[in-house]
Amino acid sequence: SGLLSDEQATDADVLNGNYIDGLLGNGQTVGESLRSAAEASKPDVYPFMLDIYHTAGDPAVHIRPRL
């Protein structure tokens, strides 16, 4: 299927999964989701990943699904 199992998930996969969960599942803003993804991922990723994981744009924006 092209998807990685939990054993094969990279640090980026962990961060991205937590980020998307915050955006779409919890209704957080971009900035809130980025912060919560970093916090939730701390035990599972190398510390340097938290320093380089960011996004460009307005952190106050809410993402809404297409209807």
Side-chain angles (χ1 to χ4, degrees):
S1 71
L3 297 176
L4 297 172
S5 69
D6 288 339
E7 294 83 36
Q8 297 172 320
T10 65
D11 288 356
D13 294 327
V14 172
L15 283 160
N16 288 338
N18 287 328
Y19 178 65
I20 295 302
D21 287 346
L23 281 177
L24 302 180
N26 299 331
Q28 296 173 332
T29 65
V30 169
E32 291 167 340
S33 184
L34 195 60
R35 273 193 307 274
S36 67
E39 190 63 34
S41 301
K42 275 184 182 181
D44 303 315
V45 301
Y46 287 106
F48 78 89
M49 287 296 290
L50 302 173
D51 294 332
I52 63 172
Y53 189 77
H54 57 83
T55 187
D58 185 348
V61 169
H62 282 274
I63 303 296
R64 46 176 205 221
R66 287 185 175 199
L67 300 176

